[in-house]
Amino acid sequence: MTFVQRYDSPLGTMLLTADEVGLVGAWFEGQKYFAAGLPEERLERETPALAEAVRWLDAYFAGGVPDFLPPLHPAGSTFRQAAWTALLQIPYGETTTYGAIAQQLAEQRGGARVSARAIGGAVGHNPISVIVPCHRVVGANGSLTGYAGGIERKVRLLELEGTNACGLFVPTRG
């Protein structure tokens, strides 16, 4: 069974979803891939995983660095799972690049090449926004690209974390 709960964040309403194991999704309403893969049948009810997600988000949006993770249970391929695990290793207030994550995964796979573009696809399909910090990934040139919740939210999340934004920019369309 899938359980859902709405969360009113300073950046907009989020839909939190969980199953019996853990948090399955956390999306800003209207974001790209919103509620992708969720079954039609769901119950609006708080569960221990949803309560922990709310506690985590409350601490985060209050400017704190949560020292715990709610139980996570996102659905995805082995490759996407590896990419999402790599996202969890990016320290609060810091950024990394798609290429750096690709290199990290290549090393874990014994040197098998991983493309930054493939990482971009996995990061873009991260179903657990904010908690699995895909907003901390930037382009190789420092561009603030690729956030399914919108570039404005990405900027605000990075600002909330006190990220050193020197060199980061929003690309312009030419």
Side-chain angles (χ1 to χ4, degrees):
M1 177 54 68
T2 300
F3 304 96
V4 300
Q5 182 176 346
R6 302 242 181 254
Y7 178 81
D8 291 322
S9 87
L11 303 180
T13 302
M14 297 179 76
L15 176 67
L16 308 178
T17 63
D19 60 15
E20 292 83 3
V21 176
L23 192 66
V24 174
W27 298 273
F28 287 103
E29 286 189 353
Q31 85 172 50
K32 194 173 186 181
Y33 311 118
F34 179 78
L38 281 186
E40 292 285 326
E41 189 176 322
R42 15 186 151 154
L43 287 175
E44 191 153 336
R45 181 184 336 154
E46 185 175 79
T47 67
L50 291 172
E52 284 296 288
V54 166
R55 191 167 74 91
W56 192 100
L57 290 166
D58 284 347
Y60 178 84
F61 284 118
V65 182
D67 61 354
F68 69 97
L69 272 177
L72 304 177
H73 195 229
S77 68
T78 302
F79 177 78
R80 285 186 177 177
Q81 295 284 344
W84 300 335
T85 297
L87 295 176
L88 289 167
Q89 297 169 12
I90 306 168
Y92 180 96
E94 295 183 24
T95 60
T96 192
T97 65
Y98 299 98
I101 295 173
Q103 183 177 355
Q104 176 185 344
L105 291 188
E107 289 169 7
Q108 290 173 2
R109 298 169 133 201
R113 187 176 182 286
V114 175
S115 80
R117 186 166 294 219
I119 294 298
V123 170
H125 284 85
N126 168 27
I128 303 178
S129 295
V130 185
I131 296 171
V132 177
C134 52
H135 61 277
R136 296 180 188 154
V137 184
V138 299
N141 63 357
S143 60
L144 294 171
T145 63
Y147 189 61
I151 294 296
E152 296 306 315
R153 280 194 185 111
K154 183 172 189 162
V155 169
R156 298 221 12 231
L157 290 167
L158 292 172
E159 288 173 347
L160 176 71
E161 294 183 14
T163 302
N164 181 354
C166 286
L168 300 180
F169 65 94
V170 177
T172 58
R173 299 189 187 248

